[in-house]
Amino acid sequence: MSDYTIKPVGTGDAEIATMASLLRVVFPDAKHFTEEVLRWQYRDNPDGQVVGMNAWLGEELAAHYVTIPLVARVNGVVEKGLLSLNTATHPAHQGKGLFTKLANATYALGAEKGFGFVVGVANANSTHGFTRKLGFQHVSPLRAMIGMGPMPLATGHKVEYERVWSPAALAWRLRHPAYPYRSKRSGDHHLILSLRTQYGARYVLGAYTGLSSAGALPEEGAGVMRKVWIGLDPDMRWVSAPYINIPMRFRPSPLNLIFRDLSGKGRALDPSTVRFQAMDFDIL
């Protein structure tokens, strides 16, 4: 371990190219790890540039971990937080504890910069590492609802955590270089739709009211559409809606919402008061 040099992630073109190359080595089937996507995530985010750490062995990038800034309302207060995002360790350097070292260094840097928390989505394989080694709260498995008809949105339910999208941040999010989106009116709200599907159903990134930026997206045509919604939201009243929760055994990778407080107050999230949709993390 003493031979590795731990440095904050930079956003210059050369370093972005090196990081993209490592991510493609570790995840050869993930087509979205391009330099263009990393520039978009790490450098262009209007909520702030990437906060993360790289482990170098001489000129070789051995391991990589990043978070990106976001703004959220937590217990009624708008504050800056971090979204846990990309992590990769080169196969030649695995088993040496680099991920844990990079993650803890990242969170220390984030706290120093004034970020109040880290939130993320972990799959079944990685959740244990985040909770046992890095002190994250396992907030809840995310719902994955599939069905047809309007999204069963109500209003007025208690929400203690939700992403706050400024017009600039929303416009940035909808310009994902790898994934095209569509908008669709559904009653009093807009749906943001991915072109990707599961079981023949289109993914819904989010359902919103007053979403003016959706007008910049191509409009989805009329017609009956099966939809998949992933997330948590107390305003989604699924009980009487024509949607079912996809059983865990049929999901490609069950996803868990995780949270770590950086404020020193020991805060935790109540899953029944969390609004978190696919729009709030980078999977679609």
Side-chain angles (χ1 to χ4, degrees):
M1 182 67 71
S2 60
D3 294 330
Y4 292 99
T5 302
I6 307 300
K7 295 180 181 179
V9 167
T11 58
D13 287 344
E15 189 164 346
I16 281 179
T18 300
M19 293 183 292
S21 178
L22 173 63
L23 287 161
R24 288 193 297 269
V25 167
V26 177
F27 305 104
D29 296 328
K31 306 303 183 185
H32 64 282
F33 285 132
T34 66
E35 294 172 38
E36 183 183 12
V37 169
L38 264 59
R39 285 192 295 269
W40 172 77
Q41 288 177 328
Y42 294 7
R43 197 162 69 192
D44 298 343
N45 179 4
D47 287 334
Q49 293 198 352
V50 66
V51 178
M53 292 285 172
N54 282 331
W56 298 87
L57 186 62
E59 298 298 315
E60 180 185 11
L61 180 59
H64 171 67
Y65 175 68
V66 298
T67 63
I68 60 172
L70 59 87
V71 177
R73 186 176 292 106
V74 186
N75 298 325
V77 178
V78 175
E79 64 178 85
K80 298 189 304 177
L82 296 168
L83 174 66
S84 180
L85 200 59
N86 299 331
T87 179
T89 300
H90 192 281
H93 302 280
Q94 291 176 2
K96 299 180 181 180
L98 286 172
F99 166 66
T100 301
K101 189 176 184 70
L102 294 183
N104 282 323
T106 296
Y107 307 147
L109 179 61
E112 181 182 317
K113 289 178 174 288
F115 293 96
F117 63 89
V118 185
V119 67
V121 176
N123 62 28
N125 292 329
S126 61
T127 298
H128 180 81
F130 278 104
T131 58
R132 292 293 299 272
K133 295 182 179 180
L134 296 172
F136 275 79
Q137 173 199 2
H138 177 193
V139 179
S140 174
L142 297 182
R143 282 181 173 268
M145 308 299 297
I146 186 169
M148 294 188 293
M151 305 301 295
L153 271 172
T155 58
H157 296 86
K158 186 177 182 180
V159 177
E160 293 186 343
Y161 176 91
E162 62 179 332
R163 179 79 179 258
V164 176
W165 289 102
S166 69
L170 185 58
W172 164 80
R173 177 65 181 87
L174 297 178
R175 290 196 303 268
H176 196 303
Y179 303 142
Y181 303 127
R182 299 286 186 270
S183 70
K184 185 177 179 65
R185 290 287 301 185
S186 179
D188 295 331
H189 52 275
H190 273 101
L191 303 181
I192 304 299
L193 301 168
S194 171
L195 297 188
R196 300 173 69 191
T197 63
Q198 181 178 359
Y199 301 122
R202 292 277 292 281
Y203 282 107
V204 177
L205 274 76
Y208 301 93
T209 57
L211 191 64
S212 59
S213 295
L217 294 174
E219 186 76 15
E220 183 69 26
V224 177
M225 180 192 306
R226 283 186 292 173
K227 298 184 285 292
V228 173
W229 180 92
I230 300 173
L232 299 171
D233 192 338
D235 279 348
M236 289 289 189
R237 315 310 292 174
W238 301 109
V239 173
S240 58
Y243 286 81
I244 61 169
N245 200 19
I246 300 173
M248 291 291 184
R249 65 183 181 276
F250 295 133
R251 301 186 193 184
S253 178
L255 301 174
N256 299 310
L257 181 65
I258 57 174
F259 178 86
R260 173 169 162 168
D261 183 44
L262 298 181
S263 71
K265 300 175 183 177
R267 298 178 299 177
L269 298 182
D270 176 351
S272 69
T273 63
V274 169
R275 176 175 293 135
F276 192 90
Q277 305 184 80
M279 186 80 136
D280 301 331
F281 63 108
D282 184 42
I283 189 172
L284 302 172

